[in-house]
Amino acid sequence: MLTLAEVCNELRISRSTFYDWRAKKRAPRCIKLPNGDLRVRRTELEHWLDGREDVA
């Protein structure tokens, strides 16, 4: 599982952008840990990215 920092770094976005997407239900699905931290499964991130692929 990826940390939020790793996801933001990979997507080259800020943490605030990620939270904005999450509030608008546009971010990849997250797992919320008991301490409140978020994690994203690698497979979920790849699936989410595949869904945003632009076919020319």
Side-chain angles (χ1 to χ4, degrees):
M1 289 190 288
L2 302 168
T3 65
L4 186 54
E6 291 169 329
V7 172
C8 290
N9 187 42
E10 188 166 327
L11 296 176
R12 295 184 178 151
I13 61 169
S14 68
R15 185 178 287 258
S16 63
T17 297
F18 184 87
Y19 280 119
D20 183 50
W21 289 357
R22 186 165 155 79
K24 294 175 181 174
K25 307 229 185 272
R26 294 183 180 168
R29 291 187 335 169
C30 299
I31 298 167
K32 191 169 190 177
L33 300 178
N35 66 357
D37 287 352
L38 296 176
R39 296 289 187 271
V40 178
R41 287 186 177 100
R42 166 62 65 188
T43 55
E44 178 60 32
L45 179 60
E46 290 173 1
H47 178 73
W48 179 83
L49 286 170
D50 287 344
R52 273 129 196 91
E53 196 170 308
D54 187 18
V55 180

